[in-house]
Amino acid sequence: MREEDSNWFSRWEEELPSPEELMPLSQSLITPNLALAFDIRNPNHAQQQQQQPPPPPPSSALQPPSQPSLFEFAADSGDLGSGAAGDEPARTLKRPRLVWTPQLHKRFVDAVAHLGIKNAVPKTIMQLMSVDGLTRENVASHLQKYRLYLKRMQGLSGGSGGGANGGSGGAGLGASTDPATDHLFASSPVPPHFLHPGRANSEHFLPFVPVPALQHNQQQQQMLAAAVGHPHLLSQYHRPQMGLYGSSPDSHFEHPFLGRQTQQPMHRMGGTPGHNQAPSSYVEDLESANGNGGRKVLTLFPSGDD
DNA sequence: ACAAAAATAT
DNA sequence: GATATTTTTG
């Protein structure tokens, strides 16, 4: 507590992802239509099946992602490439592997922090994050690892000050954090409360405004997702540190996400009134991004007047 | 081939 | 919902 607690929040607040920071998150939200349209299937990725004999490559090669013509049909065309996906119906798509980018994890931590350990259950976290395509399973799995990470940190800290990480510096402490093991986790600031369950006034902090669940138009995310095929558009958001979907320079993109437009009404948060509800930061980022008049974000889709 | 991360199963 | 196990990915 002391000054540190007051201090850490100030710093932590600054670390909140800016609109630009959150934008790359959309890379995880590739609309399946787009992915399917291009028949995005990395031969190296064997889905989740045990063993599937590699289908013979079609005679026609896939179009280079650099071609702007890609999101034309991805915009609203319900049907997908009939020629490419002849044996693979779009409806029976399997769920692609979720990649937890630092930004996404940041949101995760942020959500957990705001909820408090008590309410920080997968379901609630998922709802609070309001990330489409994100399922409870994803959060649960990540939460599992995150808890392990917290536990591990407690052991190394030994009850010292809450200097878990330097925040922007990430794993600034060579003694405590091992970048090789906790890459993702080190990237996001860990609220002190997480490591001190029996300390201070139990719960939470977050002076954030309690905003009800407001979800933006999923269309925004879809059009952002379409930008994947457009490096020149994404370049302004691209960070050298994040290798989100780009495994190989030659590989186009293997980051298809399920087009799951889920609306979370958030009924679940009635359990602990007076605490904290939903941070307005999240919804803000996305909306401010595309609603921003000064900076032209990804208005790729001809949504009318764009 | 190993390790880490995520998904899936219990 | 939490934990363990399996599978995939880096």
Side-chain angles (χ1 to χ4, degrees):
Chain A
M1 194 81 71
R2 308 144 175 110
E3 331 175 80
E4 297 184 12
D5 276 27
S6 312
N7 222 359
W8 81 265
F9 179 79
S10 302
R11 283 175 19 214
W12 181 72
E13 193 175 13
E14 294 179 8
E15 294 176 40
L16 285 175
S18 59
E20 294 78 28
E21 291 289 293
L22 266 305
M23 198 53 54
L25 171 62
S26 304
Q27 293 176 348
S28 309
L29 309 175
I30 308 302
T31 171
N33 292 343
L34 178 60
L36 267 249
F38 283 90
D39 187 32
I40 301 173
R41 284 180 302 170
N42 202 325
N44 193 15
H45 298 175
Q47 312 293 347
Q48 285 145 352
Q49 301 293 338
Q50 290 283 355
Q51 279 182 338
Q52 188 127 56
S59 55
S60 59
L62 32 83
Q63 295 80 12
S66 307
Q67 296 307 320
S69 47
L70 56 80
F71 46 76
E72 299 230 69
F73 47 67
D76 64 324
S77 59
D79 65 283
L80 306 163
S82 306
D87 60 337
E88 191 166 86
R91 296 170 178 82
T92 60
L93 265 184
K94 292 175 290 292
R95 293 174 95 77
R97 210 178 162 90
L98 173 68
V99 179
W100 283 88
T101 119
Q103 267 64 29
L104 186 55
H105 177 67
K106 167 80 172 139
R107 274 177 85 128
F108 169 82
V109 175
D110 206 7
V112 175
H114 292 152
L115 282 170
I117 308 295
K118 288 164 59 180
N119 296 335
V121 291
K123 194 175 183 177
T124 318
I125 297 172
M126 177 196 68
Q127 289 179 159
L128 211 164
M129 290 178 74
S130 297
V131 176
D132 78 335
L134 193 75
T135 183
R136 194 187 69 88
E137 267 63 33
N138 294 125
V139 178
S141 180
H142 192 71
L143 180 61
Q144 182 179 19
K145 286 191 310 179
Y146 185 64
R147 282 174 175 166
L148 259 56
Y149 169 74
L150 259 50
K151 199 176 211 173
R152 196 175 184 89
M153 243 189 170
Q154 288 184 7
L156 274 76
S157 270
S160 306
N165 40 30
S168 45
L173 311 180
S176 306
T177 51
D178 183 8
T181 1
D182 310 304
H183 274 251
L184 223 192
F185 305 103
S187 180
S188 61
V190 180
H193 309 93
F194 286 23
L195 293 87
H196 315 151
R199 182 203 176 106
N201 8 40
S202 47
E203 333 253 307
H204 341 310
F205 42 122
L206 232 292
F208 270 65
V209 347
V211 57
L214 52 142
Q215 69 274 6
H216 19 274
N217 296 342
Q218 59 225 184
Q219 184 180 7
Q220 298 171 355
Q221 297 177 345
Q222 287 184 356
M223 66 191 231
L224 284 172
V228 168
H230 292 247
H232 62 281
L233 285 171
L234 281 176
S235 58
Q236 52 186 324
Y237 309 108
H238 176 264
R239 298 293 170 106
Q241 61 181 11
M242 53 173 63
L244 281 169
Y245 52 92
S247 302
S248 347
D250 184 56
S251 283
H252 315 286
F253 28 63
E254 54 259 42
H255 219 195
F257 218 82
L258 344 83
R260 179 187 154 195
Q261 305 94 1
T262 66
Q263 302 121 331
Q264 294 106 4
M266 254 189 203
H267 322 299
R268 208 62 178 189
M269 354 198 42
T272 42
H275 280 331
N276 31 57
Q277 307 305 78
S280 55
S281 328
Y282 302 157
V283 288
E284 212 174 295
D285 48 39
L286 260 174
E287 297 211 343
S288 60
N290 67 77
N292 195 325
R295 132 186 291 119
K296 181 177 177 90
V297 197
L298 301 174
T299 43
L300 309 170
F301 284 154
S303 303
D305 59 278
D306 180 60

